[in-house]
Amino acid sequence: MTLLSTRGLTKQYAGLHAVEDVDFDLPQGQVRALIGPNGAGKTTFVGMLCGRIAPTRGTVIFDGKDISTLPAHKRIALGMAYTFQITSVFANLGVAENVALAARRRLQGAAVQDAVADALAQVGLGDRIDQTAGDLSYGHQRLLEIAMGLVQKPRLLILDEPTQGLAESEVAAFKTLIRALSDTTTILLIEHNMSVVMETADVITVLNFGRVLAEGAPSDIHADAAVQAAYLGTG
């Protein structure tokens, strides 16, 4: 079953095509990586999926429904959760309260506290539950943001550069987390760390100049001459 798809999705800025005529299909239960050089249109594309950027034309379909004009908060209510390239935690609040704010979209009472503890444990922040979010390192704030997404039990989790700022050991733990989540959650991963992409993704979509350059299994993408020339730097 296809959970998320786009048809002809396009975004123009003063005549510049940031994203142009992208057809995209993400099956339920898949881990999909979206890669491409800087300026390829990845963040704009994801912004249109999430409802933060209005497309110039084209459609976004989620679970069989046309959500092209739905605002971001209504897409969240349908089961989409996402983290941003720049952290968006509430720095003055505690770690637990940040996650609790997200949890309260679907839970009440004591269930919130249990869900918060579970989500923080999943991302390796269980021992930091009493800290203030702004006191965390940048990498740990990224993990906190992922916990805020996970606690919503989303059908689709979109992660934009989630390993940016993480230590090598934390990146390894993140790979393990993605593999564990793939049993219950569809994941779209926008990532520059190619070891993360190659080791966690079922399928990779490559954007270049706002268009889909290639799509396929990690081994096929790694061997693709056009991708090597445009992005991997081995062409």
Side-chain angles (χ1 to χ4, degrees):
M1 171 189 164
T2 299
L3 182 61
L4 176 75
S5 63
T6 70
R7 289 295 177 267
L9 200 61
T10 298
K11 183 62 180 181
Q12 296 176 341
Y13 293 103
L16 172 68
H17 284 77
V19 174
E20 186 170 8
D21 290 324
V22 171
D23 293 344
F24 178 83
D25 292 291
L26 178 59
Q28 186 170 312
Q30 188 178 90
V31 178
R32 176 73 62 91
L34 182 67
I35 68 171
N38 290 330
K42 302 185 299 296
T43 298
T44 300
F45 178 68
V46 170
M48 289 190 285
L49 298 181
C50 297
R52 295 177 62 83
I53 297 174
T56 303
R57 65 175 182 273
T59 57
V60 180
I61 309 293
F62 183 71
D63 194 21
K65 303 178 183 69
D66 187 340
I67 63 168
S68 307
T69 61
L70 280 187
H73 70 277
K74 290 191 176 181
R75 300 188 195 203
I76 292 171
L78 290 176
M80 297 175 69
Y82 48 89
T83 69
F84 301 110
Q85 202 168 5
I86 301 170
T87 57
S88 58
V89 302
F90 298 97
N92 293 327
L93 295 181
V95 167
E97 184 57 23
N98 267 270
V99 183
L101 286 171
R104 291 188 189 110
R105 289 175 175 152
R106 68 178 187 91
L107 297 171
Q108 293 180 337
V112 171
Q113 187 174 351
D114 291 341
V116 167
D118 287 345
L120 288 171
Q122 276 186 288
V123 301
L125 294 179
D127 60 343
R128 299 176 186 272
I129 194 167
D130 295 322
Q131 284 189 237
T132 300
D135 292 339
L136 296 176
S137 68
Y138 179 77
H140 284 161
Q141 288 186 33
R142 302 310 307 269
L143 293 174
L144 174 57
E145 225 187 5
I146 293 172
M148 292 165 68
L150 290 178
V151 80
Q152 299 172 56
K153 297 296 182 186
R155 300 183 64 195
L156 171 63
L157 180 61
I158 302 175
L159 303 173
D160 194 353
E161 302 289 352
T163 66
Q164 186 175 317
L166 297 188
E168 191 171 331
S169 61
E170 292 166 337
V171 172
F174 174 79
K175 293 176 187 176
T176 302
L177 173 63
I178 292 299
R179 294 189 196 102
L181 291 175
S182 64
D183 290 337
T184 56
T185 308
T186 304
I187 297 170
L188 177 59
L189 179 67
I190 300 87
E191 181 57 71
H192 279 297
N193 186 319
M194 292 308 295
S195 74
V196 172
V197 170
M198 292 295 173
E199 292 176 34
T200 62
D202 301 311
V203 175
I204 299 171
T205 299
V206 186
L207 283 186
N208 195 34
F209 297 113
R211 290 181 172 271
V212 175
L213 175 65
E215 193 167 84
S219 58
D220 295 332
I221 293 300
H222 191 266
D224 189 296
V227 175
Q228 291 173 358
Y231 183 56
L232 297 179
T234 57

